[in-house]
Amino acid sequence: MRSSARSLVLHVTALALLAAPLPLVGQQAEAGTGPGRLAGHVTDPGGQPLAGVAVTIPSLDRSVLTDSNGDYGVAGIAPGSVVVEFEGLGRRSLERSVTVAPGVDTRLDVSLEVSALDLDEISVSVVTARRVEEVAQDVPIPLAVVSGRQIERSGAVNIARLQQSVPTVQFFTTNPRNSFLNVRGLGLPFGLTNDGIDTGVGIYIDGVFLARPASATLDFNDLERIEVLRGPQGTLYGKNTTSGALNLTTRAPSLTASEVRFEGTVGNLGYVQTKGSLSTPFADNLAGRLSFVITRRDGTIRNVATNEDLNTLNNVGVKGQLRFLPSQNVVITASGDYVRQRPNGYAQVPAGIADNLANPNRRFPAIAADLGYTLPSLNPFDRVVDQNTPWRSDQDFGGASLHVDADVGPGRLTSTSAWRYWNWGPSNDRDWTGLNVTRLSQAPSTHHQYTQEVRYAVEVSPRLDFVIGAFGFRQHLDGRIVEQLGSDAWRWSYAPNPLGATPGILDGYGGISYVDFNSTSAALFGQAQVHVTDRLTLLPGLRYNYDVKGGTFDRQITDNAFTSSDPAVTALENSYKNQRPQFFEADTHDTDLSGQLTLRFEAHDRVNAYGTYATSFKSVGFNLGALPTVGGQPDLSLVRIEPEDVRHIEIGLKTTPFDGVTANFNVFDTEVRNYQTNVQSTDPSLVRGYLANAELVTVRGAEFDGNAQLSRNFTLYGAVAYSDGKHARFTNAPVPIHLAGGSASFVDISGSRLPGLSKWAASGGSEYFYPLTRTGELSVGVDAAFRSAYSSSTSPSPFLRVDAYTLVNARIGFQSGGGWGVSVWSRNLFDKDYLEQLGQVAGTSGLYWGVPGDPRTFGVTLRRGT
């Protein structure tokens, strides 16, 4: 498919700008009197900060670890010459002698060369999952850590790719608004997104909560690491989440040295991506960082009717940060970001026709025959469509934040203030064919959110420390839901009638629904850590939440200009027009008290055991769509969606059986009462269905993850998840596609599996490193991801079952000692045909669509600074 020379020029120009050298900025302090302080910055050869490096002064028996920015400091050193040792996992140890001046800081900045694979092993990864810096293996939470370096090597450009590395994550999307990020099968329900419910999996970028699920489609930009937390997270995080959280941390401005990083990639399908960042100190207490990512790709689906590509990539993102230290005890970081996406997508392809209970004249073969129409293909892997409504998924996403860390009294005070916005402009072909059935079906909207979080972390004594916090959230959404029928709608929705073929009988008929929604949330939360003994720790936590949601829904009918002198035709037209105006204005509120109790036991220096009992919730929901009617009026009892009530038990082991080896195992049992889900009623006036509660959902499972550096040159890593997720009780579920056309309005699917959740999922890989004398290193890596079959519909159907698949990725690269690197890579190496999602077209036709996964892709990446 075609590529864009203009895009390539844009990317090359950006690379050239970043390649320009930057001056190094430093300060030479004057000598004073008294003990001195040694401070510095530890990086790799390309200037990337290294966290978790041990900095040791043997003569003083003193050792510290570098922080997430690669900085360290050792105070109280007698003036004179000392030897300093630097040791980091996968790095060549370094020893330096330095003369410490009296009464001032003496700087010692070093760069550590690669000694083996340079994998950020989870055993020493520094994380902030519990809002303080600590080693991941010490955290009594099932936690996956993916470093920025691993993300770059694996080609995981967004969360959709991340799920191939973390098997407990599920991500599905038919466009950015209709995206579903789940952990262990819980988070958001399948179906068209209803903006009146919260996400169950929180996405945080640099401590800022992102409310809209569309944020999961953004390209990764200058990431330091991603932490994937599993299970309820409410006693340490601002916005409550019931099934997990993704904590994304970007690289911070460096106060000690200038940094230049860039990465350029070209591949098949016209793929061109450029990433870059520059960071420089402006003074000894002020630094800035600017980063960007530009992505272009031709489409993976061909529209034979318009002769154009669909599902292209056309993304630009930029982020700027300023870091200011007004004193030694205060760090202020201001940031702003903007993302613009203009893909020609996201299109789905016809994937099959299901047998159902409808009269044969109401099924797709008869409809298509009467209209003289033939689909270009029913094989989704032909990747062709003839759809006649443009596919667009235009979105602008951005905001600003102010983050303050300050030593106050005996503890650390953290404040994060943020404003964010999202503008959404879609266009979809919701009959998925070249027929003119649904001319318009889209929900453009604008969204603004404001968040404020304050936390205070303090160590009261060697036996007690705690974190307490407060969180405030406010969002406003202004949107429209536009539905308009076309000239073929009469035959699609009703049985054959010669009068229905009258030109223009339903052409242009539809409705515009105006939505105005406000949501306010406030919470107090906290968690303590009580060291009962040197090996036994108790971690109790509580959260109190208050939520208010309200808004208006106003559907107005847009009638067509059709007129007929034939009373029979007019009567038939009126019988087709089943949508009615609908208006309601309502609000709802709720309070909740939840908490958790964790017991952590250090059975051995290499074994940490933990057990957790937690209660959690997803806040009250608000239906932002048309409602079923009673006596011609909307049923207002369905406006409020009961909050989810979660009970969760988790038991786990985190072990380091040998040096360089980690092995972690956990089992869990989660029950969700009043699970918030989508119901598609057979009432044709509802169009998009509505929200409702399933009585009980359960998810039980076991998980394993491990890493093993088998030698200096060879590392293995992997994770396996077994999940048994069910609708334990769901008596008013939507009718599955194979029962459409029957008399049932709802079905009882109690005992059926949750959609999107594979019983088995696994990921793993290996990397081999070979050092080349003086010139650098050669590496070869292979990774694979497996998911067993899963249902792609709330109510299971054999027609909407996604088969199991395995994807294999491979890469070979060279990294020079000077920080330059090049790699050749392929994703989906064996060109596996697989589906990510299946769904049914509305009505009784039996037609269903699919989302085929990307075919084999390959390319070359050139990078500097990694």
Side-chain angles (χ1 to χ4, degrees):
M1 298 185 182
R2 68 181 184 277
S3 60
S4 170
R6 185 173 61 181
S7 294
L8 182 59
V9 171
L10 176 63
H11 289 262
V12 172
T13 303
L15 282 174
L17 290 174
L18 275 181
L22 289 177
L24 296 180
V25 179
Q27 296 284 334
Q28 179 64 47
E30 296 182 1
T33 60
R37 181 176 182 270
L38 182 66
H41 189 60
V42 181
T43 67
D44 66 9
Q48 168 62 22
L50 296 178
V53 173
V55 183
T56 304
I57 303 177
S59 62
L60 301 179
D61 195 24
R62 297 275 301 279
S63 182
V64 298
L65 293 177
T66 57
D67 63 17
S68 60
N69 297 308
D71 296 327
Y72 73 91
V74 183
I77 304 175
S81 180
V82 296
V83 174
V84 186
E85 297 175 351
F86 298 85
E87 293 183 319
L89 184 69
R91 298 285 169 178
R92 295 190 180 99
S93 299
L94 189 66
E95 185 178 285
R96 287 286 185 268
S97 177
V98 63
T99 300
V100 176
V104 297
D105 281 1
T106 298
R107 292 208 60 82
L108 179 58
D109 298 335
V110 300
S111 174
L112 299 187
E113 299 283 348
V114 173
S115 66
L117 288 174
D118 189 27
L119 284 174
D120 292 322
E121 300 276 5
I122 194 171
S123 59
V124 296
S125 294
V126 178
V127 299
T128 55
R130 295 194 297 167
R131 299 312 202 184
V132 293
E133 289 190 351
E134 53 193 336
V135 175
Q137 281 294 91
D138 294 338
V139 180
I141 298 172
L143 170 70
V145 183
V146 185
S147 71
R149 194 175 306 277
Q150 288 172 296
I151 292 168
E152 291 164 355
R153 282 199 304 265
S154 67
V157 297
N158 51 33
I159 290 174
R161 296 275 182 86
L162 177 68
Q163 68 174 334
Q164 295 181 20
S165 300
V166 185
T168 51
V169 172
Q170 299 89 39
F171 178 75
F172 305 96
T173 182
T174 54
N175 64 40
R177 181 177 182 267
N178 293 315
S179 296
F180 314 99
L181 174 63
N182 292 347
V183 171
R184 295 172 170 172
L186 301 175
L188 281 172
F190 269 45
L192 295 177
T193 294
N194 192 305
D195 296 309
I197 60 173
D198 294 340
T199 59
V201 177
I203 300 178
Y204 295 83
I205 298 183
D206 294 332
V208 177
F209 171 73
L210 307 183
R212 305 319 310 165
S215 58
T217 66
L218 304 183
D219 289 348
F220 293 151
N221 186 6
D222 208 15
L223 280 187
E224 178 182 304
R225 68 179 181 275
I226 300 176
E227 302 160 16
V228 182
L229 290 75
R230 308 192 289 274
Q233 308 295 327
T235 61
L236 285 171
Y237 278 78
K239 193 75 172 80
N240 188 62
T241 52
T242 55
S243 56
L246 269 64
N247 189 24
L248 285 70
T249 302
T250 63
R251 296 181 177 101
S254 171
L255 288 162
T256 56
S258 295
E259 302 172 11
V260 179
R261 301 168 52 88
F262 67 79
E263 177 182 300
T265 299
V266 294
N268 65 325
L269 298 176
Y271 182 78
V272 183
Q273 185 181 70
T274 302
K275 295 181 179 181
S277 64
L278 4 134
S279 176
T280 188
F282 303 116
D284 59 357
N285 65 345
L286 179 65
R289 188 177 193 97
L290 181 65
S291 57
F292 75 92
V293 56
I294 304 171
T295 308
R296 300 284 190 273
R297 191 199 67 188
D298 297 337
T300 58
I301 294 173
R302 189 70 174 173
N303 190 327
V304 296
T306 61
N307 197 32
E308 64 177 344
D309 289 350
L310 298 178
N311 294 6
T312 63
L313 296 178
N314 183 6
N315 307 334
V316 177
V318 63
K319 182 181 178 74
Q321 300 180 75
L322 282 176
R323 190 182 186 205
F324 175 53
L325 278 67
S327 71
Q328 291 185 347
N329 300 323
V330 179
V331 180
I332 301 174
T333 303
S335 68
D337 64 278
Y338 169 70
V339 173
R340 181 182 186 272
Q341 294 189 344
R342 295 294 185 270
N344 194 12
Y346 294 41
Q348 298 94 53
V349 300
I353 301 171
D355 293 328
N356 61 27
L357 303 182
N359 189 298
N361 65 26
R362 294 292 307 112
R363 301 187 63 242
F364 185 79
I367 294 171
D370 285 351
L371 295 174
Y373 172 74
T374 302
L375 283 166
S377 176
L378 271 176
N379 180 354
F381 304 115
D382 286 342
R383 301 177 187 271
V384 294
V385 298
D386 63 346
Q387 295 152 3
N388 54 3
T389 298
W391 287 92
R392 288 193 303 272
S393 296
D394 297 348
Q395 63 173 342
D396 296 285
F397 201 105
S401 66
L402 184 67
H403 185 89
V404 180
D405 275 307
D407 291 332
V408 177
R412 188 75 166 170
L413 182 69
T414 300
S415 171
T416 303
S417 310
W419 161 76
R420 299 205 63 81
Y421 74 94
W422 175 55
N423 295 334
W424 169 237
S427 175
N428 314 291
D429 193 320
R430 287 300 183 195
D431 57 57
W432 287 273
T433 70
L435 294 172
N436 193 17
V437 178
T438 304
R439 178 181 292 168
L440 295 175
S441 178
Q442 53 205 42
S445 62
T446 60
H447 169 268
H448 293 266
Q449 70 170 66
Y450 306 85
T451 56
Q452 174 64 56
E453 183 171 351
V454 179
R455 298 188 310 276
Y456 187 63
V458 61
E459 182 179 347
V460 179
S461 72
R463 294 291 186 186
L464 174 64
D465 56 82
F466 63 82
V467 176
I468 58 173
F471 177 74
F473 171 78
R474 171 74 173 175
Q475 69 170 329
H476 174 75
L477 183 139
D478 183 18
R480 292 177 296 140
I481 301 174
V482 182
E483 303 284 345
Q484 189 178 86
L485 300 180
S487 58
D488 297 324
W490 68 273
R491 181 60 185 89
W492 185 276
S493 300
Y494 296 93
N497 186 317
L499 296 178
T502 303
I505 191 171
L506 284 180
D507 199 5
Y509 173 73
I512 300 179
S513 302
Y514 297 91
V515 176
D516 186 87
F517 176 63
N518 291 287
S519 174
T520 301
S521 177
L524 298 173
F525 57 90
Q527 184 170 303
Q529 186 168 237
V530 183
H531 301 281
V532 181
T533 69
D534 290 343
R535 293 188 177 273
L536 181 64
T537 304
L538 196 64
L539 297 98
L542 280 175
R543 178 187 184 89
Y544 176 78
N545 217 79
Y546 175 72
D547 290 279
V548 177
K549 295 182 179 180
T552 59
F553 177 85
D554 184 8
R555 183 170 72 185
Q556 301 175 9
I557 300 305
T558 56
D559 208 342
N560 56 327
F562 173 80
T563 58
S564 175
S565 59
D566 186 340
V569 172
T570 301
L572 183 64
E573 175 198 12
N574 291 334
S575 72
Y576 286 168
K577 294 180 176 179
N578 46 48
Q579 294 194 40
R580 297 289 182 267
Q582 192 172 118
F583 176 85
F584 60 85
E585 182 175 17
D587 61 72
T588 185
H589 68 277
D590 189 58
T591 60
D592 189 275
L593 180 66
S594 60
Q596 64 100 34
L597 181 63
T598 296
L599 190 67
R600 175 178 177 265
F601 179 64
E602 188 179 354
H604 184 274
D605 291 344
R606 294 179 178 270
V607 179
N608 283 317
Y610 62 91
T612 296
Y613 175 76
T615 63
S616 186
F617 70 102
K618 186 195 288 187
S619 64
V620 61
F622 187 90
N623 250 314
L624 285 179
L627 297 173
T629 59
V630 177
Q633 297 299 318
D635 184 356
L636 297 184
S637 67
L638 298 174
V639 170
R640 174 189 169 96
I641 309 303
E642 292 300 317
E644 293 182 358
D645 182 13
V646 181
R647 299 290 183 271
H648 176 77
I649 298 173
E650 186 116 27
I651 299 173
L653 286 174
K654 291 193 171 185
T655 71
T656 309
F658 310 102
D659 291 342
V661 176
T662 64
N664 303 326
F665 177 79
N666 61 281
V667 295
F668 65 92
D669 186 330
T670 304
E671 290 189 353
V672 184
R673 298 184 183 277
N674 293 323
Y675 182 72
Q676 296 173 349
T677 187
N678 283 304
V679 171
Q680 182 66 53
S681 170
T682 55
D683 181 350
S685 69
L686 296 182
V687 183
R688 290 179 170 241
Y690 61 97
L691 290 170
N693 293 110
E695 295 94 322
L696 179 64
V697 162
T698 62
V699 184
R700 300 179 175 93
E703 299 161 346
F704 169 83
D705 65 80
N707 292 265
Q709 187 165 338
L710 301 180
S711 71
R712 289 172 56 87
N713 300 332
F714 186 52
T715 289
L716 294 174
Y717 49 91
V720 180
Y722 169 80
S723 304
D724 182 18
K726 294 181 179 179
H727 296 105
R729 192 162 61 253
F730 192 2
T731 57
N732 64 330
V735 175
I737 188 172
H738 63 280
L739 298 181
S743 59
S745 298
F746 304 100
V747 294
D748 185 343
I749 62 169
S750 300
S752 65
R753 289 187 57 81
L754 284 177
L757 181 62
S758 297
K759 181 167 286 190
W760 289 97
S763 65
S766 64
E767 190 129 12
Y768 178 78
F769 164 84
Y770 182 76
L772 302 176
T773 305
R774 296 184 181 179
T775 57
E777 69 207 30
L778 183 70
S779 65
V780 178
V782 177
D783 58 77
F786 166 78
R787 292 188 184 272
S788 63
Y790 56 87
S791 170
S792 188
S793 173
T794 299
S795 296
S797 171
F799 297 99
L800 302 183
R801 177 183 182 270
V802 174
D803 292 333
Y805 61 86
T806 299
L807 303 178
V808 178
N809 309 315
R811 59 196 175 275
I812 181 170
F814 172 77
Q815 185 74 33
S816 75
W820 288 88
V822 62
S823 62
V824 179
W825 52 266
S826 177
R827 297 189 63 84
N828 191 4
L829 178 65
F830 300 114
D831 202 19
K832 171 69 175 177
D833 284 336
Y834 69 102
L835 291 168
E836 295 181 345
Q837 194 175 351
L838 291 165
Q840 71 182 86
V841 179
T844 62
S845 73
L847 184 65
Y848 58 92
W849 50 260
V851 179
D854 284 350
R856 176 171 51 221
T857 57
F858 51 86
V860 179
T861 298
L862 176 70
R863 60 173 60 95
R864 180 187 184 279
T866 59

